[in-house]
Amino acid sequence: MIPKESVPSLRAMAATMAQQAPISADLLTMLTDDLENDGPAARMLADHPDAAAPLYYLRALAGVRLLILTGRAPELEAHLAGVVSHRGDPAYAEHTRDLFRRTLFSHPDEIRSAMDRPIQQHQPGRAGYLLRGLGMLAAPKVRLLEIGACAGLNLILDHYRWCGPDWEWGAPSSAVRLATSGPHPGDIEIVHRAGCDIAPRDAADPDDAAILRSFLPVELEADRLELDNAIELAAFLRVRVDKADAVEWLRAELSRPAEADTYTVVWHSLFWLYLDPGDRSAIEGIMAAAARHMRLARICYEPHAWGAVPQLQVIAYS
Ligand SMILES: C[S@@+](CC[C@H](N)C(=O)[O-])C[C@H]1O[C@@H](n2cnc3c(N)ncnc32)[C@H](O)[C@@H]1O
């Protein structure tokens, strides 16, 4: 069963997406209306062990997008080539809904596989908040640990070129050039980096790369180029992302001491709300215990509720 309680969070997400990705927001609204009315999509998607997972319906949107990206929905793909020029056109939106429904219902196996995958909207620009947080810590040497790291695109932030208001930071000749704000972060050396994810994506694997692309709304073409460059870089660097749940992984990582001159930084973004309250407090307990014997900080970029604007938080334990 898909609980009706998920309706407000889906509507909040659709409202947040509406400005930048109006057609994707409209499709999410259509699915949410269907859920409220026990419509055909709800009946198709309800029988799944993750049906009560947060924002479960977003997986269906990514599933259809993956069909487009892999050439299995040519009519919808050709139609969506006009998504920018038809912004605000109600007839275009109606036709999109129609083609989307037809694609969804004609690929039940592929959509079923999509419903098995967690939401993995993963963008390298988010690491700009990590960089800002690292700058606030003013720690020259960092051991960086990320929970919910997906393909590790945030873990390789020092391999990107960051362009601030009057400064640049990072790898000078990087193909990934990203705008950011705030003061110059200072000198930071990442001496160790690792992440975990319940479903890590290997940037070097074309199927995994397509899954990452499928979570980006069709309207965000510029972000897509950024994502492609970051995926290519991550495939080359082969950063370590372990297949593990955050709680036990973090407990094990923080049981290993860091060098005395190194700050251990635990980072996460757009991840916290997917955890249940027990896991959240377990992670907070693990961090508090570890802070007794190492220099430790937590940097996070998270919304307080679905659809809310994420906020950067830097917690220096020591
Ligand atoms: C929306 S993505 C965000 C990825 C990345 N943090 C970013 O900001 O680009 C959330 C990620 O958290 C992972 N995830 C969800 N629950 C998890 C858990 N209990 N332990 C580890 N990873 C988890 C998902 O698989 C997914 O890759």
Side-chain angles (χ1 to χ4, degrees), residues 117-124 126-127 146-154 196-201 212 215 242 244-247 249 267-272 274-276 279 283 301-302 306:
R117 292 191 282 269
I119 292 166
Q120 297 195 300
Q121 221 267 341
H122 192 33
Q123 283 178 265
R126 242 168 248 159
E146 179 173 7
I147 43 180
C150 201
L153 301 185
N154 291 319
C196 79
D197 200 287
I198 42 166
R201 294 288 158 213
L212 293 178
F215 281 96
D242 299 329
D245 183 77
V247 176
W249 184 84
W267 150 256
H268 55 89
S269 56
L270 302 197
F271 154 80
W272 197 244
Y274 293 102
L275 299 183
D276 63 42
D279 284 349
I283 288 172
Y301 180 65
E302 300 283 356
W306 296 116

Side-chain angles (χ1 to χ4, degrees), residues 36-56:
E36 270 200 316
N37 298 314
D38 296 316
R43 290 197 294 278
M44 174 185 176
L45 303 174
D47 178 24
H48 191 282
D50 288 354
L55 303 181
Y56 172 68

Side-chain angles (χ1 to χ4, degrees), residues 119-296:
I119 292 166
Q120 297 195 300
Q121 221 267 341
H122 192 33
Q123 283 178 265
R126 242 168 248 159
Y129 295 95
L130 170 59
L131 181 60
R132 189 144 185 202
L134 289 173
M136 287 180 205
L137 290 174
K141 285 193 176 183
V142 168
R143 166 169 72 152
L144 181 59
L145 304 174
E146 179 173 7
I147 43 180
C150 201
L153 301 185
N154 291 319
L155 283 167
I156 55 172
L157 79 164
D158 50 336
H159 292 271
Y160 303 151
R161 188 67 174 169
W162 294 97
C163 304
D166 57 358
W167 52 264
E168 294 199 3
W169 188 97
S173 56
S174 179
V176 184
R177 295 183 69 83
L178 297 161
T180 190
S181 56
H184 189 285
D187 290 338
I188 303 164
E189 184 190 359
I190 299 176
V191 295
H192 173 87
R193 69 191 85 206
C196 79
D197 200 287
I198 42 166
R201 294 288 158 213
D202 177 357
D205 176 336
D207 292 341
D208 275 4
I211 289 169
L212 293 178
R213 291 184 188 106
S214 75
F215 281 96
L216 201 59
V218 62
E219 296 92 335
L220 304 185
E221 200 47 38
D223 295 28
R224 163 76 193 278
L225 297 177
E226 237 170 56
L227 178 65
D228 282 349
N229 287 338
I231 288 174
E232 201 174 311
L233 185 57
F236 171 74
L237 293 169
R238 304 216 62 91
V239 64
R240 177 186 142 207
V241 180
D242 299 329
K243 182 173 172 57
D245 183 77
V247 176
E248 289 319 315
W249 184 84
L250 194 61
R251 196 191 308 281
E253 289 297 310
L254 291 181
S255 69
R256 294 185 193 108
E259 298 293 323
D261 63 347
T262 299
Y263 224 118
T264 298
V265 173
V266 175
W267 150 256
H268 55 89
S269 56
L270 302 197
F271 154 80
W272 197 244
L273 291 181
Y274 293 102
L275 299 183
D276 63 42
D279 284 349
R280 288 183 209 159
S281 60
I283 288 172
E284 276 159 359
I286 291 166
M287 297 277 299
R292 293 182 200 283
H293 52 86
M294 67 180 70
R295 298 179 72 202
L296 183 67

Side-chain angles (χ1 to χ4, degrees), residues 49-92:
D50 288 354
L55 303 181
Y56 172 68
Y57 264 34
L58 267 186
R59 302 181 187 192
L61 232 53
V64 170
R65 184 95 185 94
L66 187 62
L67 290 169
I68 297 169
L69 290 168
T70 50
R72 286 173 287 174
E75 203 183 342
L76 182 54
E77 181 182 8
H79 173 76
L80 286 174
V83 72
V84 174
S85 53
H86 288 87
R87 196 181 166 111
D89 175 348
Y92 181 85

